[in-house]
Each structure stands twice: as structure tokens, then as C-alpha cells.
Amino acid sequence: MTDLPTIVPPPSRRGFLAGLGIAAVGLSFTSLSGCGKGGETGAKAKTLNFYNWDTYIGETTLADFKAASGIDVNMSLFATNDELFAKLRAGNQGYDVIVPTNDFVQRMVAADMLMPLDHAKIPNFKNVAPEFQDVQFDPGRKHSMPYTWLVMGIGYRKSKMDGVPDSWKWVFDSDKYKGRIALLSEAGDMVRLAMKYLGKPMNTADDASLKQVEQLLIKQKPNVAVFHQDNGQDLLLAGDVDICIEYNGDIAQVMREDKDIDFVVPKEGSQISSDCLSIPKGAPNPDLAHEFINYLLDAKAGAEISKTIQFPTPNAAAKALMDDAYKNNPVIFPTNLANSEYAQYSSEDLSRKYEELFTRVRAS
């Protein structure tokens, strides 16, 4: 077998990019702006380069930041942490602020790829909830500020399911929805979730357990329609698949449009993550980067972001401004997380094993 084809969802993405006001904030999804011009040398730079996930900013956030600061934001998009890491490992091409997930914060710190943050330039850190201010993956928040927290689960179309898919078995070990299943394309996430299904420690490096995961995924591959690029919600909305692995906030976004879509955290437990704001080594505009991060941690700016992206916010001041429909949404804030845990970076050796395992799965 060869790798599965890519299913491309409708390109409009619900008018999201139009709502950002591209002309007003200088958005770009190709080349970076202001690279190779000496950064902040001399006059204050007027463009900041932001490397972010798709649909992961408030509808007016970048325009509001420009109105407040006079700074354009040139936003480029990546689809996986693997892509982010590979691009930055080859050398910073001009990015000022990036959004790595917690285990990749650890990995990038170990590889000396992130700048230490100056907390004196981020006074809005005070808005962050206490439980997110000092974390195991970045003690003292030396290299990252919290942007969101999130949990992986199963998004599904209710009218196509024979019950609630409350186990990873539905996507990892069943042919019932053959050709209608979408799995993730990020190696570490897939391995860790399969470990959960098999009853193994999620972050284990045990070779025998890794072999079991590989065999499980190879067996399931003929039933899979696509390994998606963090767009499972779009595939569900378009009717290309009926069940997928996806983050809670991504599914919450499309649930506002389609009441036949729902989300569940499987009973075996899942992976909790925290996406963070960091400054990569070699950032051309580090002072602007601190200014932008501080703005994103503002209460009103944080609430605007949460209103749009529908992910749980670690910003207590922003959450206080949100309505009850957000604060009490069981998809955004799942309660059945007793068996869930954070992904952890262990070593480059284990990361390489994940990537090689998943390459073999996709090539099978």
C-alpha cells in the first residue's frame, strides 16, 4: 500500500481569513516580512512575523494590535509541531513569535532553539491562572507563555454513529466506519493515543509497546480515509468523514454551525496539551515579540481570542469576561479527564522512534 490521499476541505474555512482583515494587518501566508533588514536596529520595526496554527487567533486581534501599537503582524501558518520544529531546526527564517505545544517547548529548549523571556516586559502574565504560571514542562515559564490548553478526543457526526464513540477502539481497532475515519498526521500524538487505547503508559519509551502500537496502526490503516493536517473539523463539516481524532476546540468551532457534530473524550483517557507563545532564537524583533505576547495576554484580547477559537483559556482574567455558554460548555471544558495526562518530551531518540514508526505506518 501507498500513503493515503489527502482530502481537501472547502477552502473558505467559514470566512475566517476574511474576518481577520488581511489588508489592515498585513497578513501573509507565504514569505516573511521584514527579514534580513536588521530587525529592530535603528527605528522601531513596524512588522512582526507570527508563526501560528490555522484558525487560532481572534477575528479582530491582529487589527486591534495594529491599532494599539502601529505594528503590522505578518502571520504564517503551520499544520503540525513536527513541521514547526523541522523549519526552526534548519534555522530561524525570520519568525518573532511561535506557538509550540508543551512537549515541543521542552524539545526546543533542549535543542537551544528558544530565547529566554523577559517577564518584566510581559506584565499581563499576572492575568494567567495560577496553575499555568509554573509548569513542569517549563519551570518558571522561562521560555513560554500559556496561550491555550486543549484535549484530544473524537469528533463525530451523530446521525452516522451507532451510539457514542466513547473508546479509542472506534478509530484504532474497528472497520465499522471503513473509509470514513480521519486520524492525525502528527507522529507523537498518534503513538501516545494508541498507547492509551492499549492500556500502556502514554509517554512510555518501551520498544515492545512501540511495536504493538505500530502493528495496531498498520492493521487499522486500510479503514482510514486520511491522516489529516489538523483539519478534522473541516472534514466532518464537509461530510468527507464521519469520525475523526481532533482537539476539543476545533470541534467546538464547527458545532456552532452543525448540530449533528459532537465530541467525546474516550473512556481510556487522552492527551492534554498546552499551546504556548515563545520567541525563537534569532528572532529579528525580540522587543516587539515581547510586546505582542503581552498584548495576547491582555484580558480583553484574550477573551476575543477565546470567543473565536473556542479553546479553553489559561487566562483567568479573559475567562472572567466570557459568557456562560463558553464557561459551561462541556466540549470546551471536559470534566472526564481523570485518566488523561500531558504529553512529555523525553529525548531526541524517542522522538525519532515516533517519527520512524509513523513513517512505516503511512508507507504500509
Side-chain angles (χ1 to χ4, degrees):
M1 265 185 208
T2 57
D3 200 4
L4 296 173
T6 300
I7 297 175
V8 181
S12 67
R13 194 62 175 97
R14 306 186 299 285
F16 180 83
L17 297 178
L20 290 175
I22 290 176
V25 297
L27 287 181
S28 168
F29 302 100
T30 53
S31 61
L32 297 181
S33 177
C35 298
K37 297 182 180 178
E40 294 170 331
T41 303
K44 186 178 180 181
K46 289 297 182 183
T47 301
L48 176 138
N49 295 311
F50 183 35
Y51 201 24
N52 191 17
W53 302 84
D54 190 13
T55 65
Y56 218 40
I57 194 73
E59 288 190 8
T60 66
T61 303
L62 301 184
D64 291 345
F65 177 67
K66 181 177 182 179
S69 67
I71 306 303
D72 283 310
V73 178
N74 181 60
M75 187 169 74
S76 303
L77 305 179
F78 61 90
T80 70
N81 279 291
D82 292 330
E83 178 186 347
L84 169 67
F85 184 81
K87 182 167 284 191
L88 269 293
R89 181 167 55 181
N92 189 351
Q93 301 173 27
Y95 299 109
D96 296 303
V97 178
I98 60 174
V99 191
T101 304
N102 54 284
D103 53 317
F104 275 78
V105 170
Q106 291 176 296
R107 188 177 182 185
M108 296 176 92
V109 168
D112 194 29
M113 294 166 64
L114 298 182
M115 289 180 57
L117 297 178
D118 184 348
H119 284 215
K121 296 178 180 178
I122 313 176
N124 283 332
F125 182 51
K126 69 181 185 297
N127 291 333
V128 173
E131 61 267 30
F132 294 98
Q133 290 189 2
D134 188 19
V135 289
Q136 178 271 334
F137 64 86
D138 185 21
R141 286 289 181 182
K142 294 178 182 177
H143 295 90
S144 70
M145 286 286 140
Y147 188 56
T148 64
W149 69 270
L150 49 161
V151 61
M152 202 80 75
I154 295 175
Y156 62 99
R157 186 163 289 284
K158 292 184 286 186
S159 62
K160 300 291 186 177
M161 295 292 105
D162 184 17
V164 176
D166 62 352
S167 169
W168 292 117
K169 180 179 179 67
W170 291 61
V171 290
F172 283 146
D173 199 13
S174 172
D175 62 359
K176 187 165 187 176
Y177 297 99
K178 181 179 176 68
R180 306 296 296 171
I181 299 169
L183 303 185
L184 288 168
S185 60
E186 191 156 306
D189 291 340
M190 287 296 295
V191 173
R192 286 185 289 261
L193 294 178
M195 288 288 187
K196 275 291 184 187
Y197 171 61
L198 293 172
K200 309 285 186 180
M202 189 179 78
N203 293 291
T204 186
D206 175 63
D207 286 337
S209 296
L210 289 171
K211 187 62 178 177
Q212 283 184 265
V213 165
E214 182 175 346
Q215 292 170 343
L216 175 73
L217 296 178
I218 288 175
K219 179 184 175 184
Q220 182 66 357
K221 188 188 172 189
N223 301 317
V224 177
V226 62
F227 291 100
H228 68 82
Q229 297 282 328
D230 193 31
N231 63 337
Q233 72 276 23
D234 288 323
L235 299 174
L236 275 178
L237 190 64
D240 291 320
V241 300
D242 297 325
I243 185 169
C244 70
I245 298 178
E246 190 50 278
Y247 291 105
N248 56 330
D250 286 322
I251 300 301
Q253 290 175 24
V254 295
M255 286 176 65
R256 294 183 295 191
E257 301 175 50
D258 191 333
K259 302 304 181 185
D260 192 35
I261 294 175
D262 209 343
F263 175 86
V264 62
V265 176
K267 60 189 177 184
E268 297 93 349
S270 189
Q271 175 178 298
I272 303 172
S273 300
S274 178
D275 286 340
C276 302
L277 301 164
S278 295
I279 303 175
K281 283 282 185 74
N285 306 299
D287 285 341
L288 274 190
H290 280 88
E291 184 177 348
F292 184 57
I293 289 173
N294 187 60
Y295 180 81
L296 296 181
L297 295 182
D298 173 75
K300 290 183 179 179
E304 170 62 25
I305 293 167
S306 297
K307 174 184 170 184
T308 301
I309 71 174
Q310 295 289 288
F311 276 90
T313 179
N315 187 327
K319 185 177 180 181
L321 298 178
M322 298 297 291
D323 60 20
D324 288 342
Y326 171 85
K327 290 187 282 191
N328 299 329
N329 188 322
V331 171
I332 299 174
F333 295 99
T335 56
N336 58 327
L337 299 179
N339 296 324
S340 300
E341 56 190 303
Y342 277 90
Q344 296 177 11
Y345 169 73
S346 174
S347 66
E348 278 304 297
D349 181 60
L350 182 58
S351 295
R352 177 181 51 78
K353 286 182 178 181
Y354 285 166
E355 291 159 6
E356 291 175 350
L357 181 161
F358 200 52
T359 296
R360 291 191 297 270
V361 169
R362 297 191 67 165
S364 65

